[in-house]
Every structure is written in structure tokens, then in C-alpha cells.
Amino acid sequence: MLTLSVPAIMLVQVILRYVFKAPLMGTEELLQFPTIWMYMLGAAMASITRTHIECGVLAVYVKSPRVLAAVGVFKNLVTVVVGVWMTRWCAWYALYSLDKAKISALLHIPQFVGDSALFVGVLLMTIYAVADLVLSLGQVKSVFSGGSEPSL
């Protein structure tokens, strides 16, 4: 739905502006809501499928499974801590937006519609980071106990 609404709104805007020479006021404002939801849900989807951008330089130079497993736990722990902090901040921001009844300038759409996307997206990413931390702790346990190394 979101992936169809953004190009549809843009198409209407282009046709009205360049074909009919009658731009429609508010289309840019309307575009921000599905765009922010697509961005945040896409980030959450990248977290769950583990397809987010990652710089794996350490794995090129370090060959020890123990060191790599320990670094994986540290990386996931930092991600969870930052995720919890960001989730708390996003929840505060969404509640602030709801409490102040902020609305968009032209179309008077409640800003909470877009601001809540931040909370939902970061919350989902944090949940997936906790799951990754649990998996990496299992990997450390396996590597340090001498078992085979499970892959993430």
C-alpha cells in the first residue's frame, strides 16, 4: 500500500504541474507520511532479514572464531543499548506529538501519524537486535565450549 501510494501521489503531482500547469498544493506534505513509514518499516525489515549495511572488515583480518564471536556479542550488545535508548526517546517524541496535537501546516494531518513511525520502526529494530544478541551469545557459548560454530 505504501509503495503504491508514494509513486501515485508523485505521478499526480507531475501530471498536474507539467501537463495541466496547475500544481496541487500539499502533495509534498502528503508524501512525507507514507515515505517515513516506508523508510522505518524498511529499516526494520533489513534488521529482521539481516540485510542492513555492515562493514565486515574485522572478519577479513581476524581469523579466530573466539574473537569474532566475542566481537559479535559486543556489537549486538551496543546495538541493543542504543536501540533501547532510541526506542525510549522515540516513544517520548511520539507521545509529545500526540499531547501537543501537532498538525501539518497545509493539510492539517496529525504529525503523530509520521512521528509514531519512528517509534514503531526503532522498536522493531530493537526487538530484532535483542534476538541477534541471544543468537550471538549462543554462538559464543558454542565456540568457547569447543562445539561447532553456528552461523548467524
Side-chain angles (χ1 to χ4, degrees):
M1 181 70 173
L2 293 173
T3 55
L4 295 176
S5 66
V6 171
I9 293 168
M10 291 176 73
L11 178 66
V12 167
Q13 180 183 19
V14 167
I15 290 172
L16 287 173
R17 180 172 290 163
Y18 297 108
V19 175
F20 295 111
K21 308 289 188 220
L24 181 62
M25 297 293 289
T27 52
E28 293 88 1
E29 188 175 292
L30 185 61
L31 276 172
Q32 77 180 353
F33 297 103
T35 302
I36 190 78
W37 272 99
M38 266 193 336
Y39 183 82
M40 294 310 295
L41 292 176
M45 189 62 165
S47 291
I48 194 170
T49 59
R50 294 181 189 93
T51 55
H52 43 38
I53 297 172
E54 183 177 337
C55 184
V57 174
L58 189 63
V60 173
Y61 296 107
V62 177
K63 299 300 180 195
S64 169
R66 290 182 176 198
V67 172
L68 290 175
V71 169
V73 168
F74 177 73
K75 175 186 74 169
N76 288 324
L77 184 61
V78 169
T79 303
V80 168
V81 169
V82 170
V84 168
W85 175 69
M86 289 295 297
T87 302
R88 185 171 180 255
W89 183 84
C90 289
W92 171 84
Y93 185 65
L95 291 173
Y96 172 80
S97 176
L98 188 62
D99 181 51
K100 297 299 178 187
K102 295 175 14 178
I103 57 172
S104 63
L106 189 63
L107 299 176
H108 303 289
I109 300 170
Q111 285 297 122
F112 179 75
V113 172
D115 295 342
S116 61
L118 295 171
F119 171 70
V120 171
V122 172
L123 176 66
L124 289 171
M125 287 183 268
T126 303
I127 290 169
Y128 303 142
V130 169
D132 284 345
L133 177 61
V134 170
L135 288 174
S136 65
L137 286 170
Q139 182 179 12
V140 163
K141 182 180 176 185
S142 174
V143 168
F144 279 89
S145 68
S148 63
E149 180 182 352
S151 63
L152 289 179

